[in-house]
Amino acid sequence: MTGVVRGRELGAPVYAEADVVVVGSGAAGAVAAYELAREGLRVVVLEEGGHYAPEEYGAMTPSNMLGRMAREAGLSAAVGLGDTPLITTLAGKCVGGSSVLTGGVCFRIPDEVLHEWSSDRGLSAMTPERLDPYFARVEDRVHVETVPESMRSRSTELFVEGAKTMGIPMKSLRRNTRGCHGASRCNFGCPHQAKMSVDISYLPAAREAGARVFADALVERLEIAGGRAAGVRGRFLDQETGEPRVPFTVRARVVVVACGSLHTPILLRRSGLDAADIGRHLTLHPAYRVSALFDDHVGGWDGALQSVYCDHFADEGITLVGVYSAANVLAAGFPGVGKAHRRLAEQLPRLAVFGGMVHDEGGGSVRRWLSREPLITYRMSARDRGRLFRGMQILGQMAFAAGAREVMLPLFGATPFKSRGELDFLTERPPAANRVECMAFHPLGSARMSAGPRGGVVKPTGETWAVDNLFVVDGSVLPTSIGVNSQLPIMAVATMLAQGICDDWSRLARRAA
């Protein structure tokens, strides 16, 4: 995408005026910017991360890509409280945000989740019927398509075969791709520009409609005057040190915050908002992967990184999703040291992998910390710990049903398991949860939507209860965990909220006059 202003190259302070300033360029911010700009509004987008062209990041190694385009080089983590794992939390820090780092999996919000939001929480717009046109609009622009069976890797096929033996159905995933080559590195930047992340699908269109996009732009504070948002101020990051240096100010009639569930609460707090629910109720979808060694060559890197899923256990709060990460990442997660680790690493071509995640209750919080990054804490409920180990057991059983010789669970200190019966301890005598190697890709809920000012941060329109003309449109507004990958839901909700801003623009503009 051409025409993005790289803030690190600017040497003088910048002042700009706009109708709307959007903070964040990921799945929510890019969508909002496009929807607002195409209605003729003057839009400025500010992104803390750098700008990398698709052909540039597509040529990076996975470790290089994480180091340059992920927050804290991919090492962000939620600190586990009590019997809770340390949960790594991957988030993007680049133009396009986390959409550049996702596997591209696209689910709609399950109907039962929307029913709970609309019926029990009073969010009448959150129904399948009301959201359908927004989902359809996004799906068309990012080209959501079903992964054909021919794109399944042998790793995935083995788990599908094991599931079939156990009478467990698997389904093909949908992803936002066009012309996928099956390079199996979606999470590290598609080398063929086949993944329709927002830097490819939305931001160029927003720019064509007149939006201006600034990279390396750290927004430090929202400008609030008389109970109304009036703009933002911050500093561009230095090219050499990465530290804030050259100041900028953007005056706007409406401010849209789309920093994601981990950073939106920090910006709101730093700007003086003090609602009790800011930074609380964080959900993560704690995720894990189970690996298995087979006698024959697997070569799991040949095929789509993610191509099938299983919702057979959704009533138990468990979703199983196929995944095969970069070979160096998988090898680093093998148990053992020295010869024991080398023995497994040498057998990587015979490795199959599958993942799972928990539809969690939401025991997380986000607080300001010593650096620009937040302090994230998470306390896993007893119910969710049970779901965590139950999911591991199911995946291990699938692997053995497919003929696996050894199964490796994501348990620190555990040696490979050689038979299905050895997995019974996971549900009969589960280990401490803090032994689990756990990760998260779908943080939600830290500035959640509510029908009234008590129990939430934003109105059903996305406008904050505390400050007029200040909107939040990212995953932080989703009131609960949804149990499925969150990219498409975030984009659809952002579309709905941005459309609401456009429809109400006359009143918002008069208020700002």
Side-chain angles (χ1 to χ4, degrees):
M1 180 178 61
T2 60
V4 174
V5 178
R6 287 181 165 89
R8 64 184 59 205
E9 298 174 356
L10 301 178
V14 171
Y15 175 83
E17 293 185 355
D19 292 319
V20 184
V21 58
V22 179
V23 186
S25 69
V31 168
Y34 166 73
E35 295 293 341
L36 295 165
R38 78 175 189 146
E39 291 292 328
L41 299 177
R42 297 173 300 152
V43 178
V44 170
V45 180
L46 301 171
E47 167 60 50
E48 179 186 352
H51 173 236
Y52 304 89
E55 58 270 19
E56 184 179 1
Y57 63 68
M60 295 179 187
T61 64
S63 56
N64 188 18
M65 200 266 193
L66 287 177
R68 298 170 69 179
M69 301 181 67
R71 300 207 76 96
E72 297 192 90
L75 298 176
S76 300
V79 178
L81 303 178
D83 189 15
T84 301
L86 178 77
I87 305 175
T88 58
T89 53
L90 183 66
K93 184 182 175 183
C94 57
V95 172
S98 297
S99 77
V100 181
L101 279 69
T102 70
V105 173
C106 292
F107 284 102
R108 292 191 176 194
I109 302 171
D111 287 357
E112 57 271 21
V113 173
L114 290 174
H115 177 75
E116 192 265 329
W117 291 356
S118 59
S119 299
D120 299 348
R121 295 178 180 268
L123 300 172
S124 58
M126 293 296 195
T127 65
E129 295 75 22
R130 295 284 293 275
L131 283 173
D132 176 74
Y134 302 110
F135 274 114
R137 190 187 305 182
V138 175
E139 289 165 346
D140 180 65
R141 174 154 288 275
V142 301
H143 197 259
V144 175
E145 60 183 359
T146 300
V147 183
E149 291 189 16
S150 60
M151 291 292 293
R152 294 179 182 179
S153 69
R154 181 57 182 157
S155 169
T156 295
E157 288 176 339
L158 285 165
F159 275 91
V160 170
E161 291 168 9
K164 184 177 181 180
T165 299
M166 297 170 63
I168 299 171
M170 289 276 193
K171 301 176 181 179
S172 293
L173 280 170
R174 298 193 308 154
R175 300 184 304 158
N176 57 313
T177 57
R178 188 193 299 272
C180 176
H181 291 211
S184 193
R185 54 159 287 169
C186 308
N187 289 120
F188 305 101
C190 178
H192 304 114
Q193 301 176 42
K195 186 176 69 175
M196 302 297 287
S197 48
V198 296
D199 61 315
I200 294 175
S201 56
Y202 269 92
L203 286 173
R207 286 197 64 259
E208 288 177 7
R212 291 179 288 169
V213 182
F214 291 82
D216 315 303
L218 173 65
V219 173
E220 297 174 306
R221 193 172 183 87
L222 309 174
E223 295 283 272
I224 299 171
R228 178 185 63 80
V232 304
R233 56 185 171 87
R235 287 179 287 172
F236 293 113
L237 304 182
D238 183 79
Q239 188 159 352
E240 299 298 327
T241 67
E243 293 301 312
R245 185 171 61 90
V246 178
F248 64 82
T249 300
V250 180
R251 300 286 296 177
R253 296 178 178 184
V254 166
V255 176
V256 172
V257 177
C259 304
S261 296
L262 303 182
H263 283 81
T264 284
I266 304 304
L267 181 58
L268 297 180
R269 288 282 188 198
R270 191 187 298 128
S271 303
L273 280 74
D274 62 356
D277 290 285
I278 295 175
R280 299 180 59 209
H281 315 296
L282 179 73
T283 66
L284 291 177
H285 289 162
Y288 49 89
R289 59 176 176 252
V290 170
S291 305
L293 286 173
F294 288 81
D295 289 325
D296 299 326
H297 179 85
V298 175
W301 48 78
D302 288 329
L305 183 140
Q306 295 181 279
S307 57
V308 303
Y309 74 102
C310 173
D311 59 4
H312 186 70
F313 303 96
D315 289 345
E316 298 182 47
I318 299 168
T319 301
L320 307 178
V321 184
V323 65
Y324 196 98
S325 191
N328 58 332
V329 174
L330 294 175
F334 284 164
V337 295
K339 291 182 179 181
H341 182 272
R342 186 166 63 249
R343 179 187 73 85
L344 295 173
E346 289 173 345
Q347 299 181 78
L348 187 64
R350 297 191 288 106
L351 183 78
V353 184
F354 215 88
M357 62 186 181
V358 173
H359 187 168
D360 58 326
E361 291 182 336
S365 66
V366 181
R367 301 181 181 89
R368 295 174 64 186
W369 191 230
L370 301 177
S371 69
R372 298 204 301 266
E373 300 300 328
L375 171 63
I376 311 166
T377 58
Y378 187 85
R379 187 182 298 275
M380 184 175 284
S381 69
R383 184 201 72 174
D384 290 345
R385 286 195 296 273
R387 291 175 169 180
L388 186 72
F389 292 118
R390 168 70 171 143
M392 288 183 203
Q393 182 186 45
I394 293 168
L395 288 178
Q397 290 171 343
M398 285 183 184
F400 281 123
R405 179 157 45 107
E406 299 179 52
V407 165
M408 289 168 283
L409 301 178
L411 294 175
F412 294 116
T415 56
F417 296 84
K418 302 295 181 65
S419 68
R420 179 170 174 165
E422 293 182 58
L423 304 176
D424 292 345
F425 79 101
L426 288 168
T427 52
E428 296 175 358
R429 304 174 305 281
N434 58 22
R435 288 184 56 196
V436 177
E437 180 191 8
C438 207
M439 60 210 75
F441 306 95
H442 315 137
L444 302 170
S446 56
R448 67 184 183 180
M449 184 183 292
S450 58
R454 296 176 63 87
V457 178
V458 304
K459 304 172 185 178
T461 60
E463 188 176 29
T464 63
W465 289 104
V467 177
D468 291 340
N469 287 31
L470 173 61
F471 289 78
V472 179
V473 301
D474 57 38
S476 66
V477 305
L478 301 189
T480 69
S481 169
I482 58 177
V484 295
N485 300 55
S486 60
Q487 174 184 235
L488 185 65
I490 289 170
M491 296 172 78
V493 171
T495 302
M496 178 186 73
L497 299 180
Q499 185 63 60
I501 294 173
C502 295
D503 294 343
D504 198 29
W505 183 252
S506 295
R507 185 181 68 86
L508 294 170
R510 286 196 303 270
R511 183 193 282 170

